mmCIF file with all atom_site columns, all heavy atoms in Angstrom:
data_model
loop_
_atom_site.group_PDB
_atom_site.id
_atom_site.type_symbol
_atom_site.label_atom_id
_atom_site.label_alt_id
_atom_site.label_comp_id
_atom_site.label_asym_id
_atom_site.label_entity_id
_atom_site.label_seq_id
_atom_site.pdbx_PDB_ins_code
_atom_site.Cartn_x
_atom_site.Cartn_y
_atom_site.Cartn_z
_atom_site.occupancy
_atom_site.B_iso_or_equiv
_atom_site.pdbx_formal_charge
_atom_site.auth_seq_id
_atom_site.auth_comp_id
_atom_site.auth_asym_id
_atom_site.auth_atom_id
_atom_site.pdbx_PDB_model_num
ATOM 1   N N   . THR H 1 21 ? -7.479  40.693 19.988 1.00 0.00 ? 47  THR H N   1
ATOM 2   C CA  . THR H 1 21 ? -7.863  39.515 19.336 1.00 0.00 ? 47  THR H CA  1
ATOM 3   C C   . THR H 1 21 ? -9.419  39.400 19.266 1.00 0.00 ? 47  THR H C   1
ATOM 4   O O   . THR H 1 21 ? -10.055 39.821 20.233 1.00 0.00 ? 47  THR H O   1
ATOM 5   C CB  . THR H 1 21 ? -7.303  38.253 20.006 1.00 0.00 ? 47  THR H CB  1
ATOM 6   O OG1 . THR H 1 21 ? -7.875  37.058 19.413 1.00 0.00 ? 47  THR H OG1 1
ATOM 7   C CG2 . THR H 1 21 ? -7.561  38.192 21.509 1.00 0.00 ? 47  THR H CG2 1
ATOM 8   N N   . TYR H 1 22 ? -9.942  38.925 18.146 1.00 0.00 ? 48  TYR H N   1
ATOM 9   C CA  . TYR H 1 22 ? -11.351 38.857 17.940 1.00 0.00 ? 48  TYR H CA  1
ATOM 10  C C   . TYR H 1 22 ? -11.817 37.433 17.793 1.00 0.00 ? 48  TYR H C   1
ATOM 11  O O   . TYR H 1 22 ? -11.132 36.597 17.186 1.00 0.00 ? 48  TYR H O   1
ATOM 12  C CB  . TYR H 1 22 ? -11.743 39.637 16.643 1.00 0.00 ? 48  TYR H CB  1
ATOM 13  C CG  . TYR H 1 22 ? -11.309 41.056 16.666 1.00 0.00 ? 48  TYR H CG  1
ATOM 14  C CD1 . TYR H 1 22 ? -10.055 41.503 16.188 1.00 0.00 ? 48  TYR H CD1 1
ATOM 15  C CD2 . TYR H 1 22 ? -12.141 42.096 17.197 1.00 0.00 ? 48  TYR H CD2 1
ATOM 16  C CE1 . TYR H 1 22 ? -9.664  42.873 16.240 1.00 0.00 ? 48  TYR H CE1 1
ATOM 17  C CE2 . TYR H 1 22 ? -11.826 43.433 17.244 1.00 0.00 ? 48  TYR H CE2 1
ATOM 18  C CZ  . TYR H 1 22 ? -10.558 43.852 16.769 1.00 0.00 ? 48  TYR H CZ  1
ATOM 19  O OH  . TYR H 1 22 ? -10.148 45.145 16.836 1.00 0.00 ? 48  TYR H OH  1
ATOM 20  N N   . CYS H 1 23 ? -12.926 37.173 18.392 1.00 0.00 ? 49  CYS H N   1
ATOM 21  C CA  . CYS H 1 23 ? -13.482 35.849 18.406 1.00 0.00 ? 49  CYS H CA  1
ATOM 22  C C   . CYS H 1 23 ? -14.921 35.925 17.810 1.00 0.00 ? 49  CYS H C   1
ATOM 23  O O   . CYS H 1 23 ? -15.742 36.744 18.215 1.00 0.00 ? 49  CYS H O   1
ATOM 24  C CB  . CYS H 1 23 ? -13.573 35.441 19.915 1.00 0.00 ? 49  CYS H CB  1
ATOM 25  S SG  . CYS H 1 23 ? -14.350 33.868 20.214 1.00 0.00 ? 49  CYS H SG  1
ATOM 26  N N   . ILE H 1 32 ? -19.293 33.293 27.019 1.00 0.00 ? 58  ILE H N   1
ATOM 27  C CA  . ILE H 1 32 ? -17.972 33.133 26.392 1.00 0.00 ? 58  ILE H CA  1
ATOM 28  C C   . ILE H 1 32 ? -16.911 33.283 27.469 1.00 0.00 ? 58  ILE H C   1
ATOM 29  O O   . ILE H 1 32 ? -17.049 34.045 28.360 1.00 0.00 ? 58  ILE H O   1
ATOM 30  C CB  . ILE H 1 32 ? -17.756 34.151 25.238 1.00 0.00 ? 58  ILE H CB  1
ATOM 31  C CG1 . ILE H 1 32 ? -16.586 33.647 24.390 1.00 0.00 ? 58  ILE H CG1 1
ATOM 32  C CG2 . ILE H 1 32 ? -17.573 35.511 25.744 1.00 0.00 ? 58  ILE H CG2 1
ATOM 33  C CD1 . ILE H 1 32 ? -16.625 34.106 22.985 1.00 0.00 ? 58  ILE H CD1 1
ATOM 34  N N   . TRP H 1 34 ? -12.485 33.293 28.194 1.00 0.00 ? 60  TRP H N   1
ATOM 35  C CA  . TRP H 1 34 ? -11.191 33.547 27.635 1.00 0.00 ? 60  TRP H CA  1
ATOM 36  C C   . TRP H 1 34 ? -10.122 32.848 28.492 1.00 0.00 ? 60  TRP H C   1
ATOM 37  O O   . TRP H 1 34 ? -10.234 32.841 29.718 1.00 0.00 ? 60  TRP H O   1
ATOM 38  C CB  . TRP H 1 34 ? -10.946 35.039 27.605 1.00 0.00 ? 60  TRP H CB  1
ATOM 39  C CG  . TRP H 1 34 ? -11.606 35.751 26.482 1.00 0.00 ? 60  TRP H CG  1
ATOM 40  C CD1 . TRP H 1 34 ? -12.834 36.326 26.555 1.00 0.00 ? 60  TRP H CD1 1
ATOM 41  C CD2 . TRP H 1 34 ? -11.189 35.920 25.123 1.00 0.00 ? 60  TRP H CD2 1
ATOM 42  N NE1 . TRP H 1 34 ? -13.215 36.836 25.288 1.00 0.00 ? 60  TRP H NE1 1
ATOM 43  C CE2 . TRP H 1 34 ? -12.154 36.634 24.422 1.00 0.00 ? 60  TRP H CE2 1
ATOM 44  C CE3 . TRP H 1 34 ? -10.041 35.536 24.446 1.00 0.00 ? 60  TRP H CE3 1
ATOM 45  C CZ2 . TRP H 1 34 ? -11.994 36.962 23.095 1.00 0.00 ? 60  TRP H CZ2 1
ATOM 46  C CZ3 . TRP H 1 34 ? -9.941  35.898 23.065 1.00 0.00 ? 60  TRP H CZ3 1
ATOM 47  C CH2 . TRP H 1 34 ? -10.902 36.544 22.437 1.00 0.00 ? 60  TRP H CH2 1
ATOM 48  N N   . LEU H 1 49 ? -17.892 35.931 30.250 1.00 0.00 ? 75  LEU H N   1
ATOM 49  C CA  . LEU H 1 49 ? -18.841 37.020 29.956 1.00 0.00 ? 75  LEU H CA  1
ATOM 50  C C   . LEU H 1 49 ? -20.189 36.317 29.619 1.00 0.00 ? 75  LEU H C   1
ATOM 51  O O   . LEU H 1 49 ? -20.125 35.326 28.893 1.00 0.00 ? 75  LEU H O   1
ATOM 52  C CB  . LEU H 1 49 ? -18.376 37.840 28.716 1.00 0.00 ? 75  LEU H CB  1
ATOM 53  C CG  . LEU H 1 49 ? -17.018 38.475 28.858 1.00 0.00 ? 75  LEU H CG  1
ATOM 54  C CD1 . LEU H 1 49 ? -16.567 39.062 27.487 1.00 0.00 ? 75  LEU H CD1 1
ATOM 55  C CD2 . LEU H 1 49 ? -17.054 39.621 29.899 1.00 0.00 ? 75  LEU H CD2 1
ATOM 56  N N   . GLN H 1 64 ? -14.884 42.157 25.801 1.00 0.00 ? 90  GLN H N   1
ATOM 57  C CA  . GLN H 1 64 ? -16.217 42.567 25.364 1.00 0.00 ? 90  GLN H CA  1
ATOM 58  C C   . GLN H 1 64 ? -16.986 41.365 24.844 1.00 0.00 ? 90  GLN H C   1
ATOM 59  O O   . GLN H 1 64 ? -16.383 40.482 24.151 1.00 0.00 ? 90  GLN H O   1
ATOM 60  C CB  . GLN H 1 64 ? -16.077 43.646 24.262 1.00 0.00 ? 90  GLN H CB  1
ATOM 61  C CG  . GLN H 1 64 ? -15.607 44.982 24.778 1.00 0.00 ? 90  GLN H CG  1
ATOM 62  C CD  . GLN H 1 64 ? -15.699 46.065 23.714 1.00 0.00 ? 90  GLN H CD  1
ATOM 63  O OE1 . GLN H 1 64 ? -15.771 45.787 22.522 1.00 0.00 ? 90  GLN H OE1 1
ATOM 64  N NE2 . GLN H 1 64 ? -15.610 47.302 24.141 1.00 0.00 ? 90  GLN H NE2 1
ATOM 65  N N   . PHE H 1 65 ? -18.285 41.401 25.035 1.00 0.00 ? 91  PHE H N   1
ATOM 66  C CA  . PHE H 1 65 ? -19.122 40.409 24.493 1.00 0.00 ? 91  PHE H CA  1
ATOM 67  C C   . PHE H 1 65 ? -20.141 41.145 23.580 1.00 0.00 ? 91  PHE H C   1
ATOM 68  O O   . PHE H 1 65 ? -20.747 42.083 24.049 1.00 0.00 ? 91  PHE H O   1
ATOM 69  C CB  . PHE H 1 65 ? -19.899 39.645 25.575 1.00 0.00 ? 91  PHE H CB  1
ATOM 70  C CG  . PHE H 1 65 ? -20.548 38.313 25.191 1.00 0.00 ? 91  PHE H CG  1
ATOM 71  C CD1 . PHE H 1 65 ? -20.275 37.706 23.968 1.00 0.00 ? 91  PHE H CD1 1
ATOM 72  C CD2 . PHE H 1 65 ? -21.319 37.671 26.090 1.00 0.00 ? 91  PHE H CD2 1
ATOM 73  C CE1 . PHE H 1 65 ? -20.791 36.454 23.646 1.00 0.00 ? 91  PHE H CE1 1
ATOM 74  C CE2 . PHE H 1 65 ? -21.900 36.389 25.782 1.00 0.00 ? 91  PHE H CE2 1
ATOM 75  C CZ  . PHE H 1 65 ? -21.563 35.834 24.508 1.00 0.00 ? 91  PHE H CZ  1
ATOM 76  N N   . ASN H 1 71 ? -19.945 37.309 19.095 1.00 0.00 ? 97  ASN H N   1
ATOM 77  C CA  . ASN H 1 71 ? -18.562 37.681 18.978 1.00 0.00 ? 97  ASN H CA  1
ATOM 78  C C   . ASN H 1 71 ? -18.072 38.301 20.240 1.00 0.00 ? 97  ASN H C   1
ATOM 79  O O   . ASN H 1 71 ? -18.870 38.763 21.124 1.00 0.00 ? 97  ASN H O   1
ATOM 80  C CB  . ASN H 1 71 ? -18.331 38.618 17.789 1.00 0.00 ? 97  ASN H CB  1
ATOM 81  C CG  . ASN H 1 71 ? -19.198 39.834 17.803 1.00 0.00 ? 97  ASN H CG  1
ATOM 82  O OD1 . ASN H 1 71 ? -19.046 40.712 18.677 1.00 0.00 ? 97  ASN H OD1 1
ATOM 83  N ND2 . ASN H 1 71 ? -20.148 39.919 16.953 1.00 0.00 ? 97  ASN H ND2 1
ATOM 84  N N   . SER H 1 72 ? -16.760 38.296 20.401 1.00 0.00 ? 98  SER H N   1
ATOM 85  C CA  . SER H 1 72 ? -16.135 38.860 21.528 1.00 0.00 ? 98  SER H CA  1
ATOM 86  C C   . SER H 1 72 ? -14.713 39.348 21.184 1.00 0.00 ? 98  SER H C   1
ATOM 87  O O   . SER H 1 72 ? -14.196 38.972 20.206 1.00 0.00 ? 98  SER H O   1
ATOM 88  C CB  . SER H 1 72 ? -16.052 37.769 22.606 1.00 0.00 ? 98  SER H CB  1
ATOM 89  O OG  . SER H 1 72 ? -15.418 38.229 23.798 1.00 0.00 ? 98  SER H OG  1
ATOM 90  N N   . SER H 1 73 ? -14.222 40.135 22.042 1.00 0.00 ? 99  SER H N   1
ATOM 91  C CA  . SER H 1 73 ? -12.856 40.611 21.814 1.00 0.00 ? 99  SER H CA  1
ATOM 92  C C   . SER H 1 73 ? -12.119 40.731 23.116 1.00 0.00 ? 99  SER H C   1
ATOM 93  O O   . SER H 1 73 ? -12.706 40.878 24.264 1.00 0.00 ? 99  SER H O   1
ATOM 94  C CB  . SER H 1 73 ? -12.822 41.966 21.086 1.00 0.00 ? 99  SER H CB  1
ATOM 95  O OG  . SER H 1 73 ? -13.430 42.950 21.888 1.00 0.00 ? 99  SER H OG  1
ATOM 96  N N   . LEU H 1 74 ? -10.798 40.596 23.017 1.00 0.00 ? 100 LEU H N   1
ATOM 97  C CA  . LEU H 1 74 ? -9.861  40.821 24.110 1.00 0.00 ? 100 LEU H CA  1
ATOM 98  C C   . LEU H 1 74 ? -8.900  41.928 23.699 1.00 0.00 ? 100 LEU H C   1
ATOM 99  O O   . LEU H 1 74 ? -8.242  41.693 22.700 1.00 0.00 ? 100 LEU H O   1
ATOM 100 C CB  . LEU H 1 74 ? -9.196  39.560 24.535 1.00 0.00 ? 100 LEU H CB  1
ATOM 101 C CG  . LEU H 1 74 ? -7.880  39.641 25.287 1.00 0.00 ? 100 LEU H CG  1
ATOM 102 C CD1 . LEU H 1 74 ? -8.090  40.360 26.659 1.00 0.00 ? 100 LEU H CD1 1
ATOM 103 C CD2 . LEU H 1 74 ? -7.256  38.270 25.498 1.00 0.00 ? 100 LEU H CD2 1
#
Side-chain angles (χ1 to χ4, degrees):
Chain H
T47 171
Y48 300 91
C49 175
I58 196 153
W60 284 92
L75 304 169
Q90 292 188 340
F91 199 9
N97 54 70
S98 180
S99 65
L100 158 59

